[in-house]
mmCIF file of all heavy atoms in Angstrom:
data_model
loop_
_atom_site.group_PDB
_atom_site.id
_atom_site.type_symbol
_atom_site.label_atom_id
_atom_site.label_comp_id
_atom_site.label_asym_id
_atom_site.label_seq_id
_atom_site.Cartn_x
_atom_site.Cartn_y
_atom_site.Cartn_z
ATOM 1 N N GLY A 31 -38.964 -0.728 192.377
ATOM 2 C CA GLY A 31 -38.657 -0.679 191.000
ATOM 3 C C GLY A 31 -39.226 0.513 190.221
ATOM 4 O O GLY A 31 -38.596 1.159 189.409
ATOM 5 N N ASP A 33 -39.733 3.482 191.357
ATOM 6 C CA ASP A 33 -38.898 4.667 191.549
ATOM 7 C C ASP A 33 -37.740 4.748 190.667
ATOM 8 O O ASP A 33 -37.397 5.884 190.147
ATOM 9 C CB ASP A 33 -38.346 4.629 193.074
ATOM 10 C CG ASP A 33 -39.472 4.660 194.068
ATOM 11 O OD1 ASP A 33 -40.530 5.264 193.939
ATOM 12 O OD2 ASP A 33 -39.227 3.985 195.203
ATOM 13 N N GLU A 53 -39.991 12.615 175.126
ATOM 14 C CA GLU A 53 -40.650 11.946 176.272
ATOM 15 C C GLU A 53 -40.396 10.414 176.289
ATOM 16 O O GLU A 53 -40.530 9.811 175.234
ATOM 17 C CB GLU A 53 -42.209 12.237 176.168
ATOM 18 C CG GLU A 53 -42.990 11.592 177.341
ATOM 19 C CD GLU A 53 -44.443 11.675 177.174
ATOM 20 O OE1 GLU A 53 -44.956 12.200 176.140
ATOM 21 O OE2 GLU A 53 -45.157 11.244 178.118
ATOM 22 N N SER A 60 -48.135 -3.166 184.661
ATOM 23 C CA SER A 60 -48.727 -3.969 183.673
ATOM 24 C C SER A 60 -48.980 -5.394 184.149
ATOM 25 O O SER A 60 -48.187 -5.895 185.009
ATOM 26 C CB SER A 60 -47.938 -3.997 182.339
ATOM 27 O OG SER A 60 -48.377 -5.002 181.485
ATOM 28 N N THR A 61 -49.933 -6.070 183.667
ATOM 29 C CA THR A 61 -50.188 -7.506 183.931
ATOM 30 C C THR A 61 -49.350 -8.403 183.046
ATOM 31 O O THR A 61 -49.514 -9.629 183.111
ATOM 32 C CB THR A 61 -51.655 -7.924 183.825
ATOM 33 O OG1 THR A 61 -52.074 -7.553 182.514
ATOM 34 C CG2 THR A 61 -52.525 -7.125 184.895
ATOM 35 N N HIS A 64 -43.888 -10.326 180.985
ATOM 36 C CA HIS A 64 -42.567 -9.803 180.853
ATOM 37 C C HIS A 64 -42.327 -8.645 181.867
ATOM 38 O O HIS A 64 -43.142 -7.781 181.962
ATOM 39 C CB HIS A 64 -42.367 -9.268 179.403
ATOM 40 C CG HIS A 64 -42.551 -10.337 178.349
ATOM 41 N ND1 HIS A 64 -41.612 -11.359 178.217
ATOM 42 C CD2 HIS A 64 -43.492 -10.482 177.382
ATOM 43 C CE1 HIS A 64 -42.066 -12.133 177.201
ATOM 44 N NE2 HIS A 64 -43.129 -11.599 176.701
ATOM 45 N N SER A 80 -43.938 -4.543 184.405
ATOM 46 C CA SER A 80 -44.939 -5.336 185.054
ATOM 47 C C SER A 80 -45.168 -4.876 186.469
ATOM 48 O O SER A 80 -44.346 -4.207 187.103
ATOM 49 C CB SER A 80 -44.418 -6.819 185.078
ATOM 50 O OG SER A 80 -43.359 -7.006 186.022
ATOM 51 N N ALA A 128 -27.979 -7.794 171.146
ATOM 52 C CA ALA A 128 -26.556 -7.594 171.574
ATOM 53 C C ALA A 128 -26.314 -6.073 171.638
ATOM 54 O O ALA A 128 -25.669 -5.610 172.610
ATOM 55 C CB ALA A 128 -25.623 -8.193 170.595
ATOM 56 N N PHE A 133 -25.462 -0.790 174.304
ATOM 57 C CA PHE A 133 -25.922 0.594 174.359
ATOM 58 C C PHE A 133 -26.633 0.875 175.699
ATOM 59 O O PHE A 133 -26.509 1.933 176.337
ATOM 60 C CB PHE A 133 -26.751 0.953 173.149
ATOM 61 C CG PHE A 133 -27.060 2.454 173.060
ATOM 62 C CD1 PHE A 133 -26.231 3.296 172.298
ATOM 63 C CD2 PHE A 133 -28.206 2.989 173.708
ATOM 64 C CE1 PHE A 133 -26.541 4.582 172.217
ATOM 65 C CE2 PHE A 133 -28.497 4.338 173.524
ATOM 66 C CZ PHE A 133 -27.623 5.187 172.776
ATOM 67 N N VAL A 137 -26.192 3.665 178.527
ATOM 68 C CA VAL A 137 -27.310 4.492 179.052
ATOM 69 C C VAL A 137 -27.245 4.426 180.601
ATOM 70 O O VAL A 137 -27.375 5.513 181.273
ATOM 71 C CB VAL A 137 -28.681 3.992 178.512
ATOM 72 C CG1 VAL A 137 -29.741 4.756 179.287
ATOM 73 C CG2 VAL A 137 -28.753 4.294 177.063
ATOM 74 N N PHE A 148 -31.199 9.651 189.783
ATOM 75 C CA PHE A 148 -30.578 8.419 190.130
ATOM 76 C C PHE A 148 -29.516 8.639 191.280
ATOM 77 O O PHE A 148 -29.386 7.791 192.169
ATOM 78 C CB PHE A 148 -29.793 7.815 188.909
ATOM 79 C CG PHE A 148 -30.471 6.679 188.340
ATOM 80 C CD1 PHE A 148 -31.554 6.784 187.410
ATOM 81 C CD2 PHE A 148 -30.222 5.389 188.758
ATOM 82 C CE1 PHE A 148 -32.177 5.703 186.877
ATOM 83 C CE2 PHE A 148 -30.841 4.253 188.199
ATOM 84 C CZ PHE A 148 -31.851 4.489 187.264
ATOM 85 N N LEU A 151 -31.221 8.525 194.507
ATOM 86 C CA LEU A 151 -31.540 7.155 194.961
ATOM 87 C C LEU A 151 -30.368 6.520 195.641
ATOM 88 O O LEU A 151 -30.556 5.654 196.576
ATOM 89 C CB LEU A 151 -32.062 6.331 193.747
ATOM 90 C CG LEU A 151 -33.387 6.678 193.218
ATOM 91 C CD1 LEU A 151 -33.802 5.861 191.952
ATOM 92 C CD2 LEU A 151 -34.519 6.617 194.231
ATOM 93 N N TYR A 152 -29.134 6.778 195.151
ATOM 94 C CA TYR A 152 -27.957 6.346 195.877
ATOM 95 C C TYR A 152 -28.054 6.745 197.324
ATOM 96 O O TYR A 152 -27.751 5.946 198.249
ATOM 97 C CB TYR A 152 -26.679 6.919 195.278
ATOM 98 C CG TYR A 152 -26.122 6.168 194.091
ATOM 99 C CD1 TYR A 152 -24.963 6.637 193.366
ATOM 100 C CD2 TYR A 152 -26.649 4.975 193.631
ATOM 101 C CE1 TYR A 152 -24.396 5.946 192.334
ATOM 102 C CE2 TYR A 152 -26.091 4.290 192.537
ATOM 103 C CZ TYR A 152 -25.010 4.786 191.893
ATOM 104 O OH TYR A 152 -24.471 4.126 190.837
ATOM 105 N N ALA A 170 -21.519 -7.116 189.842
ATOM 106 C CA ALA A 170 -22.448 -8.022 190.554
ATOM 107 C C ALA A 170 -23.844 -8.035 189.873
ATOM 108 O O ALA A 170 -24.466 -9.063 189.830
ATOM 109 C CB ALA A 170 -22.569 -7.562 192.017
ATOM 110 N N LEU A 179 -32.025 -13.546 183.819
ATOM 111 C CA LEU A 179 -32.676 -13.106 182.537
ATOM 112 C C LEU A 179 -31.838 -13.579 181.335
ATOM 113 O O LEU A 179 -32.334 -13.801 180.247
ATOM 114 C CB LEU A 179 -32.865 -11.668 182.473
ATOM 115 C CG LEU A 179 -33.901 -11.085 183.507
ATOM 116 C CD1 LEU A 179 -34.075 -9.642 183.245
ATOM 117 C CD2 LEU A 179 -35.254 -11.828 183.435
ATOM 118 N N ASN A 186 -33.480 -15.887 169.738
ATOM 119 C CA ASN A 186 -33.485 -14.393 169.440
ATOM 120 C C ASN A 186 -32.394 -13.661 170.164
ATOM 121 O O ASN A 186 -32.271 -12.424 169.924
ATOM 122 C CB ASN A 186 -34.839 -13.832 169.791
ATOM 123 C CG ASN A 186 -35.989 -14.312 168.889
ATOM 124 O OD1 ASN A 186 -35.725 -14.653 167.723
ATOM 125 N ND2 ASN A 186 -37.149 -14.475 169.405
ATOM 126 N N PHE A 204 -18.246 3.598 177.782
ATOM 127 C CA PHE A 204 -18.697 4.791 178.482
ATOM 128 C C PHE A 204 -17.419 5.482 179.039
ATOM 129 O O PHE A 204 -17.244 6.673 178.893
ATOM 130 C CB PHE A 204 -19.655 4.499 179.544
ATOM 131 C CG PHE A 204 -19.969 5.659 180.445
ATOM 132 C CD1 PHE A 204 -20.938 6.612 180.125
ATOM 133 C CD2 PHE A 204 -19.160 5.895 181.624
ATOM 134 C CE1 PHE A 204 -21.138 7.748 180.915
ATOM 135 C CE2 PHE A 204 -19.431 7.029 182.423
ATOM 136 C CZ PHE A 204 -20.398 7.938 182.092
ATOM 137 N N LYS A 207 -15.240 7.265 176.498
ATOM 138 C CA LYS A 207 -15.858 8.559 176.109
ATOM 139 C C LYS A 207 -15.849 9.578 177.193
ATOM 140 O O LYS A 207 -15.641 10.722 176.991
ATOM 141 C CB LYS A 207 -17.297 8.275 175.649
ATOM 142 C CG LYS A 207 -17.412 7.409 174.388
ATOM 143 C CD LYS A 207 -18.791 7.106 173.977
ATOM 144 C CE LYS A 207 -18.816 6.209 172.752
ATOM 145 N NZ LYS A 207 -18.192 6.841 171.602
ATOM 146 N N GLN A 232 -17.031 -18.479 187.446
ATOM 147 C CA GLN A 232 -17.401 -19.823 187.122
ATOM 148 C C GLN A 232 -17.982 -19.849 185.656
ATOM 149 O O GLN A 232 -17.712 -20.840 184.950
ATOM 150 C CB GLN A 232 -18.507 -20.280 188.039
ATOM 151 C CG GLN A 232 -17.996 -20.508 189.465
ATOM 152 C CD GLN A 232 -17.009 -21.662 189.519
ATOM 153 O OE1 GLN A 232 -15.798 -21.493 189.589
ATOM 154 N NE2 GLN A 232 -17.482 -22.924 189.524
ATOM 155 N N ILE A 248 -22.267 -6.495 165.180
ATOM 156 C CA ILE A 248 -22.064 -5.103 165.126
ATOM 157 C C ILE A 248 -22.437 -4.514 163.774
ATOM 158 O O ILE A 248 -23.143 -3.536 163.650
ATOM 159 C CB ILE A 248 -20.623 -4.782 165.462
ATOM 160 C CG1 ILE A 248 -20.311 -5.309 166.874
ATOM 161 C CG2 ILE A 248 -20.388 -3.324 165.353
ATOM 162 C CD1 ILE A 248 -18.876 -5.232 167.287
ATOM 163 N N GLY A 260 -32.796 6.352 158.179
ATOM 164 C CA GLY A 260 -33.076 6.948 156.920
ATOM 165 C C GLY A 260 -32.262 8.208 156.543
ATOM 166 O O GLY A 260 -31.123 8.275 156.844
ATOM 167 N N ILE A 261 -32.963 9.286 156.095
ATOM 168 C CA ILE A 261 -32.238 10.490 155.806
ATOM 169 C C ILE A 261 -32.197 11.442 156.995
ATOM 170 O O ILE A 261 -31.623 12.571 156.879
ATOM 171 C CB ILE A 261 -32.956 11.200 154.652
ATOM 172 C CG1 ILE A 261 -34.434 11.622 155.002
ATOM 173 C CG2 ILE A 261 -32.987 10.391 153.367
ATOM 174 C CD1 ILE A 261 -35.083 12.510 153.986
ATOM 175 N N LEU A 274 -24.177 13.629 173.814
ATOM 176 C CA LEU A 274 -24.213 12.883 172.501
ATOM 177 C C LEU A 274 -23.222 11.759 172.422
ATOM 178 O O LEU A 274 -23.566 10.711 171.836
ATOM 179 C CB LEU A 274 -23.957 13.882 171.390
ATOM 180 C CG LEU A 274 -25.132 14.608 170.684
ATOM 181 C CD1 LEU A 274 -24.677 15.705 169.725
ATOM 182 C CD2 LEU A 274 -26.038 13.639 170.046
ATOM 183 N N LYS A 275 -22.064 11.974 172.972
ATOM 184 C CA LYS A 275 -21.058 10.937 172.847
ATOM 185 C C LYS A 275 -21.402 9.685 173.608
ATOM 186 O O LYS A 275 -20.907 8.555 173.272
ATOM 187 C CB LYS A 275 -19.695 11.434 173.362
ATOM 188 C CG LYS A 275 -19.680 11.813 174.794
ATOM 189 C CD LYS A 275 -18.332 12.466 175.188
ATOM 190 C CE LYS A 275 -18.314 12.989 176.622
ATOM 191 N NZ LYS A 275 -17.067 13.662 176.939
ATOM 192 N N VAL A 292 -11.839 1.135 163.388
ATOM 193 C CA VAL A 292 -11.381 -0.071 164.031
ATOM 194 C C VAL A 292 -9.853 -0.230 164.003
ATOM 195 O O VAL A 292 -9.167 -0.537 164.969
ATOM 196 C CB VAL A 292 -12.023 -1.372 163.457
ATOM 197 C CG1 VAL A 292 -11.329 -2.614 163.910
ATOM 198 C CG2 VAL A 292 -13.497 -1.365 163.725
ATOM 199 N N ILE A 298 -3.824 2.111 168.495
ATOM 200 C CA ILE A 298 -3.683 2.693 169.826
ATOM 201 C C ILE A 298 -3.420 1.595 170.861
ATOM 202 O O ILE A 298 -2.557 1.731 171.681
ATOM 203 C CB ILE A 298 -4.979 3.484 170.180
ATOM 204 C CG1 ILE A 298 -5.084 4.754 169.340
ATOM 205 C CG2 ILE A 298 -4.909 3.885 171.682
ATOM 206 C CD1 ILE A 298 -6.334 5.505 169.507
ATOM 207 N N PHE A 309 -8.233 -7.411 162.580
ATOM 208 C CA PHE A 309 -9.587 -8.072 162.497
ATOM 209 C C PHE A 309 -9.917 -8.399 161.119
ATOM 210 O O PHE A 309 -9.581 -7.715 160.128
ATOM 211 C CB PHE A 309 -10.591 -7.045 163.054
ATOM 212 C CG PHE A 309 -10.408 -6.683 164.505
ATOM 213 C CD1 PHE A 309 -10.048 -5.360 164.815
ATOM 214 C CD2 PHE A 309 -10.549 -7.644 165.489
ATOM 215 C CE1 PHE A 309 -9.844 -4.997 166.144
ATOM 216 C CE2 PHE A 309 -10.370 -7.256 166.807
ATOM 217 C CZ PHE A 309 -10.031 -5.987 167.124
#
Side-chain angles (χ1 to χ4, degrees):
D33 296 327
E53 180 184 5
S60 165
T61 57
H64 299 292
S80 72
F133 189 90
V137 168
F148 254 86
L151 291 177
Y152 273 178
L179 299 182
N186 293 327
F204 173 85
K207 293 177 183 299
Q232 291 294 99
I248 299 170
I261 63 171
L274 268 175
K275 60 186 177 182
V292 169
I298 291 171
F309 297 113

